[in-house]
């Protein structure tokens, strides 16, 4: 894409002035170039028309994905801040990465962000763990990425350390290469989406041997009796043993029995990749991971229990001081309507219809304008043919883009935005233990503008510039956001210098700062004094809350138990 001006569809430009009469050609029409002044004016008029005619709940503030390593020039944050000062927008919740997992985990143990941020360090695993059973492996290829930027790449050395210490690693899944070849991992191939069946059989084997931690299950969990009855067929007449799981997973019965016999005899970690829950009943494998770890009774011990995502990103397996870094305030969204992030096409196809989410019914909004900045729906979404067809339904689609991709081609108006290399910003990752002065390396190509400048231009024409910018330019915001984070850093044991010293140094590295204690250690030591934030305060192997949802489509996966 030539990033030297604003582009608009040829028929759409005339249509915008008269109310966007043409939509069928979206994605196929030629584009014309207009000035920024004309672009701002046209879009401001269209935003006002939609709000005045249909309300703010007719605007979908799209965007998903990381968008930028910077903490200020983060297009998603600016889009949401801008739409909030206009009166709000329909938002999406959760993520494509672990949408089902993020909904289920607070009911049974803890929010997924808490689980991920508190994964034991690789060093802790090397020192303490003797057996790792990894559903989905621990691939090195996905550790090359990290939200906020990868710092030290630890995965390869960590895997070598595990091998040197003689840690047994079992890679469960259809792909042998999901664990580094040098890790000498055992490969247990199973059919895709049968992980939960294998976990149930492993739990059955441990219980049948009498090696389950009865005290932990009695004092730290609720619902164990129900899972116990399910494992041994007292609910449906089907014993969830190795022979049963072999028929489902394709794994040999003897292999399942041997692995069950090994679980928990030494320090054992059960871990799963995020991909397991990207399926029908995707919440089940995450629930089963927690249940299996609870049966072993090692939750809260260094290098034991469960985890989610070793190998998913670079930061999983790194622990240091935790604090929230520079963050652009989003303001208040006055619109209550939302959708789960992966239901964009459903929303466009079924406006006004009900959908269920986390035990409650909600209604799909009638979207007239999609405003998307950051990420690309045409590379995230599931059924692109269906999405392309439904993307032509709204009156208007707006995109901020840097490249001539499907996201841009399927928009009506494309606003050329700068790349990370063309602007000053602050990079931050508490998980990676760094804060970086991201100095601009290149001038903007052509007439491309920062997302902040684009929204400021629109805000001026809509009379909300003061609320959006708060009287600051980009440099002013960088200083404010940095200074705002300093007290939080100090509270976590990290001394950040004054802004000028930080900007001159280029990077502040707080690797080695004291990390929080082992995840759930306090809960393990005294569950009454340190309850979880679940409804019961304990690990919920069976959930009365979820059972109360009354969902009927779970089939052989009843809502009240993993299975």
């Amino acid at each position: 894409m030539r990033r030297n001006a604003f582009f608009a569809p040829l028929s759409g430009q005339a249509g915008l002035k008269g109310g966007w009469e043409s939509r069928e050609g979206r994605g196929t029409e030629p584009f014309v170039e207009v000035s920024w002044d004309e672009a701002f004016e046209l879009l401001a008029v269209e935003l006002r028309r939609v709000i005045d005619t249909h309300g703010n709940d007719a605007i979908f503030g799209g965007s998903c994905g990381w968008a930028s390593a910077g903490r200020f020039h983060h297009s998603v944050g600016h889009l949401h801040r801008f739409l909030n000062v206009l009166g709000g927008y329909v938002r999406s919740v959760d993520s494509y990465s672990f949408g089902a997992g993020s909904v289920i985990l607070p009911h049974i143990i803890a929010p997924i962000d808490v689980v991920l941020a508190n994964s034991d360090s690789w060093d802790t695993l090397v020192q303490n763990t003797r057996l790792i059973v990894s559903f989905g492996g621990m691939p090195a290829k996905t550790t090359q990425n990290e939200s906020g930027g990868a710092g030290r790449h630890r995965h390869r050395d960590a895997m070598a350390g595990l091998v040197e210490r003689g840690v047994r690693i079992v890679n469960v899944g259809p792909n042998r290469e999901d664990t580094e070849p040098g890790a000498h991992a055992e490969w247990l191939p199973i059919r895709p989406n049968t992980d939960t069946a294998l976990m149930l059989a492993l739990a059955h084997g441990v219980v049948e041997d009498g090696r389950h931690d009865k005290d932990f299950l009695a004092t730290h969990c609720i619902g164990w009796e129900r899972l116990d009855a399910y494992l041994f067929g007292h609910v449906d007449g089907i014993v969830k043993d190795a022979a049963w799981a072999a028929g489902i997973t394709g794994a040999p019965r003897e292999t399942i029995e041997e692995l069950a016999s090994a679980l928990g005899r030494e320090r054992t970690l059960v871990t799963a990749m995020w991909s397991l829950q990207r399926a029908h009943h995707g919440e089940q494998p995450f629930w089963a991971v927690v249940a299996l770890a609870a049966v072993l009774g090692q939750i809260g011990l260094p290098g034991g229990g469960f985890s989610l995502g070793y190998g998913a990103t670079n930061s999983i397996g790194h622990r240091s001081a935790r604090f929230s870094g520079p963050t652009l305030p989003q303001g208040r969204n006055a619109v209550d309507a939302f959708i789960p992030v992966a239901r964009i096409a459903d929303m466009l196809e079924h406006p006004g219809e009900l959908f269920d989410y986390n035990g409650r019914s909600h209604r799909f909004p009638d979207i007239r304008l999609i405003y998307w900045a950051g990420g690309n729906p045409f590379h995230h979404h599931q059924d692109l043919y269906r999405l392309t067809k439904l993307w032509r339904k709204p009156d208007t689609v707006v995109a901020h883009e840097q490249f001539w991709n499907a996201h841009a081609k399927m928009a009506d108006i494309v606003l050329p935005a700068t790349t990370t290399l063309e602007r000053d910003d602050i990079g931050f990752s508490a998980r990676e233990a760094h804060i970086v002065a991201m100095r601009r390396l290149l001038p903007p190509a052509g007439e491309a503008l920062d997302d902040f400048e684009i929204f400021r231009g629109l805000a001026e024409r809509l009379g909300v510039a003061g609320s959006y910018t708060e009287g600051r330019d980009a440099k002013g915001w960088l200083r404010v956001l940095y200074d705002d984070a300093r007290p939080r850093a100090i509270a976590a044991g990290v001394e950040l210098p004054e802004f000028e010293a930080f900007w001159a140094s280029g990077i502040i590295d707080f690797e080695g700062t004291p990390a929080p204690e082992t995840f759930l250690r306090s809960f393990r030591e005294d569950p009454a004094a340190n309850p979880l934030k679940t409804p019961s305060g304990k690990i919920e192997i069976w959930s009365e809350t979820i059972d109360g949802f009354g969902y009927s489509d779970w089939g052989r996966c009843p809502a009240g138990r993993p299975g």
Side-chain angles (χ1 to χ4, degrees), residues 219-220 517 520-533 536-538:
T219 56
H220 292 71
E517 67 177 19
L520 300 180
R521 175 181 173 183
S522 297
F523 168 72
R524 178 184 183 84
E525 293 175 348
D526 191 340
N530 304 285
L532 303 179
K533 294 183 179 180
S536 65
K538 298 182 179 183

Side-chain angles (χ1 to χ4, degrees), residues 168-205:
R168 180 183 178 188
I169 302 172
V170 181
N171 168 25
V172 181
N175 190 351
R176 182 195 298 272
E177 297 179 356
D178 278 339
T179 303
E180 283 282 275
H184 304 296
E186 302 170 29
W187 180 38
L188 177 52
I190 64 172
R191 296 186 179 102
N193 300 328
T194 63
D195 305 85
T196 299
L198 179 57
M199 294 179 208
L200 291 171
L202 293 175
H204 175 275

Side-chain angles (χ1 to χ4, degrees), residues 121-188:
S121 69
W122 288 109
D123 289 341
T124 299
L125 302 190
V126 171
Q127 294 165 11
N128 297 279
T129 311
R130 304 269 58 85
L131 170 61
I132 298 175
V133 181
S134 181
F135 291 84
M138 296 185 290
K141 58 188 177 183
T142 43
T143 64
Q144 306 306 302
N145 286 314
E146 180 59 43
S147 179
R152 294 169 177 83
H153 292 272
R154 308 172 184 86
H155 183 272
R156 184 161 297 173
D157 290 343
M159 297 300 287
L162 292 171
V163 172
E164 184 177 349
R165 289 275 291 178
V167 179
R168 180 183 178 188
I169 302 172
V170 181
N171 168 25
V172 181
N175 190 351
R176 182 195 298 272
E177 297 179 356
D178 278 339
T179 303
E180 283 282 275
H184 304 296
E186 302 170 29
W187 180 38
L188 177 52

Side-chain angles (χ1 to χ4, degrees), residues 134 189 191 202 221-222 226 253 276 333 349 351 360 391 457-458 483 521 530:
S134 181
R191 296 186 179 102
L202 293 175
C221 308
I222 66 166
R226 292 175 178 266
R253 184 197 69 192
L276 268 66
N333 189 349
E349 188 170 23
R360 299 183 63 183
W391 207 251
L458 286 170
D483 289 343
R521 175 181 173 183
N530 304 285

Side-chain angles (χ1 to χ4, degrees), residues 217-238:
L217 290 166
T219 56
H220 292 71
C221 308
I222 66 166
W224 160 242
E225 297 82 3
R226 292 175 178 266
L227 179 58
D228 186 30
Y230 183 64
L231 292 175
F232 285 86
H234 303 318
V235 175
D236 54 9
I238 301 173

